[in-house]
Amino acid sequence: MRYVVALDQGTTSSRAVVIDETGCAVASHSNEYTQNYPKPGWVEHDPYDIYYSQLGALKIAVQKAGIDGEQIAAIGITNQRETTLLWEKDSGRPVCNAIVWQCRRTASYVERLKEQGLDPLIREKTGLIPDAYFCATKLQWIFDNVPGARERAERGELLFGTVDSWLVWNLTKEHVHVSDVTNASRTMLFNIHTMDWDEELLRLFQIPRSILPRVCDSSGVVSYLNEEILGRAIPIASMAGDQQSALFGQACYQEGMVKPTYGTGGSMLMNTGSAPKNSQNGMLSTVAWRIGGKTCYALEGSIFVAGAAVQWLRDELGLIRTAAQSEEIALSVPDSAGVYVVPAFTGLGAPYWDMYGRGAIVGLTRGAGRAQLVRATLEAIAFQTSDVVRAMEQDSGMPLSQLRVDGGASANNFLMQFQADILGIEVVRPKIVETTALGAAYLAGLAVGVWEDQGQIAALWQDERRFVPAMEEEQRQHRLRQWKRAVERAAGWAKDPLE
Ligand code: ADP
């Protein structure tokens, strides 16, 4: 039996998962690490925390699996995207902390780009809607604020990378400086049409080309693990951003297949095939993966609050003790009694894009209580997902036939059934919901021949449960209309602050 180890470097923890040839996870280990919040809205990681928590997870997971380096055919990497690092070429020392994707410190940089009318140019080239999430303005900030960084970068002394690059650089003896197309596509410096760093954008953001990593396929041997780590120079054979990796792990290989992740927030990716699609509805156009030089693209839509709404029920309202309890409470009543919860705690994401939207509960009557509120909150997660799905269908011109779900809240059977009902589309939950790690393992195994082709991997994908739409059409339309009306009431709420 041969194994592939996936390194899943996430925002709050670093995880390693040992996966066998049948696509089963045989062992895993996770290490949480420190989040740094130096100012309100700022988020940083110590680059060494990222690396050492990941290295530790790798060693322990392999130990738990009871295998050695000889049995590991390949290592795959998947990672939190957009988090930005800059380090010294000679010593490997970071010039500052990693600026995490969530960090809002460059919001004003993005405002300026928009004022300069650069929005359409950036969208056209990168597929992204300009935002502080992406690396370009984070790098600009470092050059503006870390003494000497710009000059040193211009002299070729510094290297930039997303987390994938940072890990590979540290995990290899000869310190290879690479990234993959999915991670590159989140920098706001990469042209998703030419599939190369974009000269015009580099000039615009004043980024010297010498600091940029070589961009590789998502599947392919980029280098070998330093043999001191596990006693063998194991091929490092894949790199992919976490959402893209999950799309691959869900075996969404056909155009039009969609993977919604119900985590703290929600993230939906749709495979759009060999050409990027321009979104008219606030979706990002991004690279899904590149294998053997062939690029597959995706549309991506985000929901700010998904599972977080369940945490709100638990932590702020005290209506449930555990997230899982929300299912039983929702099912204790026949319906939500006309109550709608719009969890727009931080505004409304796609397809509304209203940063002034705020949360609302509407339709309350005297009989509406705890169970109805819990039920309406779970329904809201499905309504928001449905909005994104419909927008994606419009953008892609592809009607969906199935959703392959994952993420913590996909464990909720009520939520999944309601999702199927409100969309009129079958919802399928796979046996293995660790799809992010699985994707990285598949991409790596594919490169070294553990699996022959994507068809073989797709055959490994197994459903655990299917949720078939059962709601009457009339009822469905009514519920969707009421949801829209509830959203209208939450929209723009924070536009009149007391100042
Ligand atoms: P992330 O990767 O964003 O940290 P996870 O995929 O681990 O998130 O999912 C965690 C989220 O899922 C939490 O917000 C939690 O409230 C929610 N969650 C977990 N289990 C359930 C459940 N049974 N029903 C509803 N929500 C759940």
Side-chain angles (χ1 to χ4, degrees):
M1 187 62 113
R2 284 179 302 171
Y3 299 88
V4 179
V5 183
L7 306 183
D8 178 2
Q9 206 299 310
T11 311
T12 55
S13 68
S14 297
R15 208 169 154 68
V17 186
V18 180
I19 287 158
D20 69 17
E21 284 171 63
T22 67
C24 285
V26 296
S28 67
H29 190 79
S30 243
N31 285 324
E32 287 201 10
Y33 62 98
T34 310
Q35 309 288 312
N36 303 292
Y37 306 106
K39 289 187 188 180
W42 290 32
V43 192
E44 296 181 355
H45 291 155
D46 179 334
Y48 288 121
D49 280 352
I50 294 178
Y51 174 61
Y52 285 109
S53 60
Q54 189 62 71
L55 182 67
L58 167 63
K59 288 182 178 167
I60 295 174
V62 169
Q63 208 174 43
K64 281 186 184 172
I67 56 173
D68 60 34
E70 295 301 325
Q71 291 164 281
I72 303 171
I75 287 180
I77 294 177
T78 178
N79 57 284
Q80 52 167 321
R81 304 174 301 173
E82 297 127 14
T83 295
T84 301
L85 297 105
L86 194 66
W87 65 92
E88 293 175 351
K89 197 185 218 165
D90 284 342
S91 69
R93 237 188 356 244
V95 305
C96 57
N97 269 346
I99 304 183
V100 178
W101 59 274
Q102 298 154 317
C103 187
R104 303 311 297 170
R105 79 181 63 185
T106 58
S108 64
Y109 284 62
V110 176
E111 288 305 320
R112 223 175 308 143
L113 288 176
K114 290 184 177 163
E115 281 160 20
Q116 292 168 350
L118 294 165
D119 197 303
L121 176 87
I122 294 173
R123 281 188 197 222
E124 159 56 27
K125 285 175 181 268
T126 66
L128 306 173
I129 299 171
D131 193 276
Y133 281 137
F134 309 114
C135 305
T137 60
K138 290 179 176 3
L139 261 177
Q140 273 189 306
W141 186 94
I142 296 174
F143 289 147
D144 289 348
N145 291 278
V146 175
R150 186 181 301 280
E151 296 71 29
R152 299 184 65 198
E154 277 161 5
R155 286 201 300 267
E157 294 170 18
L158 303 181
L159 300 176
F160 153 77
T162 38
V163 168
D164 54 323
S165 305
W166 171 245
L167 290 178
V168 172
W169 201 86
N170 282 286
L171 289 167
T172 52
K173 207 171 207 166
E174 68 280 34
H175 300 309
V176 177
H177 187 218
V178 288
S179 183
D180 94 299
V181 286
T182 66
N183 278 291
S185 77
R186 316 299 292 189
T187 57
M188 217 157 80
L189 299 169
F190 190 76
N191 187 317
I192 62 167
H193 306 277
T194 63
M195 294 298 281
D196 193 7
W197 302 113
D198 189 273
E199 287 300 338
E200 191 179 359
L201 293 177
L202 294 180
R203 267 200 309 278
L204 182 75
F205 290 105
Q206 295 180 286
I207 310 285
R209 203 178 168 110
S210 64
I211 68 169
L212 301 172
R214 180 167 59 85
V215 182
C216 304
D217 281 4
S218 318
S219 174
V221 178
V222 291
S223 187
Y224 295 84
L225 188 74
N226 184 337
E227 64 199 25
E228 283 158 29
I229 298 174
L230 290 177
R232 184 172 99 83
I234 301 163
I236 297 176
S238 74
M239 293 184 285
D242 49 12
Q243 294 303 327
Q244 283 92 339
S245 187
L247 187 71
F248 200 85
Q250 287 274 33
C252 290
Y253 303 148
Q254 314 282 324
E255 239 177 278
M257 288 180 88
V258 174
K259 163 223 71 102
T261 299
Y262 300 81
T264 311
S267 172
M268 188 129 43
L269 255 73
M270 176 196 242
N271 180 331
T272 59
S274 58
K277 291 263 190 275
N278 278 334
S279 173
Q280 308 300 320
N281 293 294
M283 305 290 148
L284 305 179
S285 192
T286 200
V287 177
W289 50 76
R290 193 174 69 192
I291 300 173
K294 264 185 72 185
T295 304
C296 178
Y297 292 89
L299 277 173
E300 175 169 339
S302 303
I303 297 160
F304 300 149
V305 175
V310 179
Q311 292 170 322
W312 169 72
L313 290 175
R314 187 192 61 196
D315 302 338
E316 270 70 30
L317 301 189
L319 295 182
I320 51 175
R321 269 179 296 107
T322 62
Q325 202 195 11
S326 62
E327 178 176 337
E328 158 202 335
I329 295 178
L331 288 168
S332 71
V333 287
D335 54 45
S336 48
V339 176
Y340 287 79
V341 173
V342 186
F345 304 136
T346 53
L348 289 157
Y352 305 101
W353 293 110
D354 173 4
M355 62 178 164
Y356 299 106
R358 288 296 178 269
I361 303 174
V362 298
L364 289 171
T365 51
R366 182 63 182 79
R370 171 187 181 224
Q372 286 81 7
L373 215 56
V374 169
R375 188 170 171 123
T377 302
L378 291 175
E379 289 177 350
I381 299 174
F383 279 124
Q384 295 184 92
T385 306
S386 155
D387 288 338
V388 176
V389 167
R390 295 299 175 215
M392 274 188 174
E393 284 183 329
Q394 254 183 26
D395 276 342
S396 64
M398 294 181 229
L400 301 191
S401 55
Q402 194 190 68
L403 294 190
R404 291 191 165 184
V405 299
D406 54 49
S410 72
N412 191 304
N413 295 317
F414 167 76
L415 173 60
M416 293 301 104
Q417 182 58 50
F418 188 76
Q419 186 70 78
D421 286 345
I422 213 62
L423 275 169
I425 296 176
E426 185 185 46
V427 168
V428 190
R429 189 167 59 202
K431 270 207 175 121
I432 299 180
V433 285
E434 265 203 279
T435 54
T436 307
L438 203 54
Y442 284 156
L443 285 163
L446 206 52
V448 297
V450 174
W451 298 287
E452 247 154 51
D453 52 29
Q454 283 166 250
Q456 196 189 355
I457 294 172
L460 295 174
W461 189 91
Q462 284 183 329
D463 57 336
E464 177 258 327
R465 186 156 165 186
R466 287 172 183 264
F467 300 86
V468 179
M471 193 181 274
E472 297 281 339
E473 182 60 18
E474 201 183 337
Q475 168 75 353
R476 201 164 73 79
Q477 292 303 340
H478 167 73
R479 299 294 319 266
L480 285 166
R481 279 197 306 275
Q482 290 295 83
W483 163 253
K484 281 270 172 314
R485 294 177 67 209
V487 170
E488 280 162 22
R489 278 153 182 80
W493 186 259
K495 266 188 186 151
D496 186 10
L498 179 66
E499 271 173 347

